[in-house]
Amino acid sequence: DQQVKQNSPSLSVQEGRISILNCDYTNSMFDYFLWYKKYPAEGPTFLISISSIKDKNEDGRFTVFLNKSAKHLSLHIVPSQPGDSAVYFCAARSSGTGTASKLTFGTGTRLQVTL
Amino acid sequence: DSGVTQTPKHLITATGQRVTLRCSPRSGDLSVYWYQQSLDQGLQFLIQYYNGEERAKGNILERFSAQQFPDLHSELNLSSLELGDSALYFCASSLNRATGELFFGEGSRLTVL
């Protein structure tokens, strides 16, 4: 059961344009959502997050939007740069108890920013 | 550099064998997580340890086991290996669960022939 879904395996965007990566989830118990970026031969690195009590979080060129009623979040990158070319993973945290915590990841979207 | 160290980076072995993957978390981080990434798949959560104790479990096979030692490093043991166990195994660490942010190592690529 895929609780976090990224339905677009790949996306190609021209440099300077907006990149929009989408993610859907099914579990209403998720309380934090995160985006990770992964380059080849490296581990995923944290990019930006949003709490379930917010609908938008912005950090420089990166903005994450959360629509709880639709169980949908998106990552906007403006303007897109060639260095943004990577695989982007959407992740969601289960609101467990105490020190228990786990992130459920989507399958990733490969973004290619072309010149 | 995330500060999380995984060894070995690459490992090739045969079916039926047993391997151990090692992870050193970031200095000060108490939680260690193991994830498996198979070809074209997302990261599948295996298990979490916090300060030496198991805290959360995912879809970890019975042939797999893990532990976290007093110095906080962790090992993932994979036994009776099958071809389908070939994957990237990532370790991640975090100080606490406040925001859910994890710091990942570069992964250990396991190939089972």
Side-chain angles (χ1 to χ4, degrees):
Chain A
D1 176 28
Q2 194 72 22
Q3 296 187 52
V4 178
K5 299 178 184 179
Q6 294 177 258
N7 293 318
S8 298
S10 63
L11 175 67
S12 183
V13 172
Q14 271 191 322
E15 182 181 10
R17 300 285 187 110
I18 183 171
S19 294
I20 300 176
L21 294 93
N22 294 303
C23 178
D24 296 296
Y25 63 96
T26 57
N27 189 341
S28 299
M29 297 303 292
F30 290 144
D31 65 349
Y32 248 97
F33 301 89
L34 306 91
W35 285 93
Y36 281 78
K37 181 164 90 169
K38 185 182 180 304
Y39 293 118
E42 294 184 11
T45 55
F46 169 74
L47 191 57
I48 191 169
S49 66
I50 187 168
S51 165
S52 60
I53 62 173
K54 296 188 175 182
D55 56 18
K56 178 182 175 181
N57 187 27
E58 194 171 350
D59 183 3
R61 298 186 296 113
F62 303 91
T63 303
V64 57
F65 296 92
L66 176 62
N67 182 334
K68 281 187 69 177
S69 61
K71 292 191 175 67
H72 177 84
L73 66 155
S74 61
L75 173 68
H76 293 211
I77 306 174
V78 182
S80 300
Q81 299 175 353
D84 296 330
S85 297
V87 177
Y88 289 79
F89 290 98
C90 171
R93 188 185 78 175
S94 308
S95 51
T97 57
T99 52
S101 173
K102 76 170 195 179
L103 294 185
T104 301
F105 284 81
T107 51
T109 296
R110 184 178 302 277
L111 172 66
Q112 183 173 11
V113 180
T114 58
L115 298 173
Chain B
D1 182 5
S2 67
V4 177
T5 304
Q6 287 188 248
T7 57
K9 285 191 169 36
H10 301 275
L11 190 54
I12 301 174
T13 188
T15 55
Q17 295 298 304
R18 182 179 188 276
V19 299
T20 297
L21 309 180
R22 194 178 191 278
C23 170
S24 294
R26 285 190 324 159
S27 177
D29 282 358
L30 300 177
S31 275
V32 169
Y33 307 77
W34 286 97
Y35 281 83
Q36 178 193 54
Q37 185 184 22
S38 302
L39 193 63
D40 292 334
Q41 298 292 311
L43 290 95
Q44 301 294 320
F45 172 71
L46 295 178
I47 198 163
Q48 178 213 357
Y49 280 83
Y50 177 85
N51 204 20
E53 295 188 8
E54 182 184 309
R55 278 288 182 261
K57 212 166 185 176
N59 296 326
I60 186 167
L61 299 172
E62 284 191 13
R63 300 183 286 108
F64 296 1
S65 65
Q67 54 184 326
Q68 186 180 28
F69 295 87
D71 67 352
L72 300 178
H73 91 271
S74 177
E75 292 181 357
L76 179 67
N77 301 297
L78 316 173
S79 61
S80 303
L81 286 168
E82 302 175 359
L83 295 178
D85 297 328
S86 296
L88 258 175
Y89 291 86
F90 287 103
C91 169
S93 72
S94 69
L95 176 59
N96 54 45
R97 64 185 297 276
T99 60
E101 179 182 349
L102 304 184
F103 296 86
F104 282 84
E106 294 183 350
S108 293
R109 181 173 293 280
L110 172 66
T111 302
V112 182
L113 300 176

